Amino acid sequence: MKKILLIICLLFGVILVFNSCNKNNSVKTDSGSILIGLVMPETHVDRWVKDGASLKRFAESRGYRAEETFAGTDQNVQNGQIRTFIKEGAKLLIIGSLSEGIIPAVADAAKAKIPVIAYDRIIPNSADYDYYITFNNYEVGTFQGKSIEDGLDLKNATTANPKTIAFFAGAATDGNAFFFYDGAVDVLNPYIDKGVLKVIGPYPRTSKDSAAFKSIATENWQAAVAEARMKDLLANEARDVRLDAVLAPNDTLARAIIKACLDDPKYSGGNLPLITGQDAEADSILAIKNGQQSMTVFKDTTKLAEAAIILADQILKGEANPVVPGATLAAGDLAVIGDTGKKIVKAFLLQPIFINKDNWNIPVQAGYFTPEEEIRLK
Ligand code: BGC
């Protein structure tokens, strides 16, 4: 009997020790890991889902805790998510913002001494953060403009037989939309001036031409908005002309514009205008392969996410002059990219890649797609 009691006591002791070790361990990992809040704008554009997942993966691989949120294009929701992260004790926020409406929430983060990295999109008119990481967005627009210049052979176009184009821009609440547009029209304006390229519908000469820019902008980058505007254009200003090109700022909107064109008898036979894009979305790679979309721009957001976490890690470790491999600190003329309107933040830039039917495999080789997407692309 004594022996049995002794064994029970020993067992009980082992269990107690084991349990307390376990608790210590879990307490250690929970409170020991630093939380990074990942605040993404939307999910209706594929890339943000990938951005969120990659950011989380890279943060966790460096021993951080990371949570991702998506705001569904609603600024109030996004501000709520930021404030929740502040309450949860996040030590750094990586934010893909929606609009200027974010300013008070970023100010709250600054009050709580939480550093913010503006991710992909600048946070305008705020002096409450120091870092921005993005792609060279002006160059994205340049790629789009050049593909139209080459595709329509504008160098050899004549005033007797001018080419025609319609312009679309992204959300006027997103600073990137301005860079994309300016990059494209800086290539196209000389041809418009010469009279060999004719704009059908509104024509902002630059993104600073606010009223005209608003009339080509697409609220929240919503496909339905672009599709409706394209339909309207086809039924009105473009009714009696054949459009040779449509400047579409990203893939989501490019496919919406293609859809509207395919509903029009003039283009339904596949005789589509040249339509640009951006983001290398799987569906647009398919559209490029079947000739409906002319090009896209591959911004490897896996690399952007990795670079953002490398930056975050250095900020959290108190590094005053972070260095981000694979990204260039914008200097000289490019430093304006970091101009929020209230201060110049450090802007780190990654390079976008031009994609068309000849090199569509680049994002596949870079491992950009999910296994399901890869199967669809084969
Ligand atoms: C991003 C694009 C994206 C667009 C819509 C922009 O800020 O840079 O990659 O297509 O937002 O989400």
Side-chain angles (χ1 to χ4, degrees), residues 42 45 47-48 120-121 174 176 180 221 250 279 299:
E42 58 218 19
V45 175
R47 60 156 291 180
W48 296 107
D120 195 84
R121 299 175 175 176
D174 174 357
N176 287 348
F180 303 146
W221 295 91
N250 80 351
D279 286 340
K299 300 190 299 185

Side-chain angles (χ1 to χ4, degrees), residues 192-257:
I192 299 170
D193 293 346
K194 265 199 256 165
V196 300
L197 181 63
K198 203 167 152 224
V199 183
I200 309 297
Y203 166 43
R205 192 172 166 79
T206 75
S207 67
K208 289 198 180 64
D209 190 349
S210 302
F213 188 77
K214 272 208 182 106
S215 61
I216 64 158
T218 311
E219 198 182 348
N220 286 325
W221 295 91
Q222 292 288 354
V225 174
E227 187 182 343
R229 198 186 142 232
M230 188 66 208
K231 283 207 154 120
D232 188 67
L233 207 67
L234 291 170
N236 294 290
E237 294 101 314
R239 202 187 52 200
D240 300 322
V241 281
R242 191 196 170 273
L243 281 171
D244 294 310
V246 180
L247 175 73
N250 80 351
D251 288 351
T252 306
L253 304 189
R255 294 195 306 276
I257 291 164

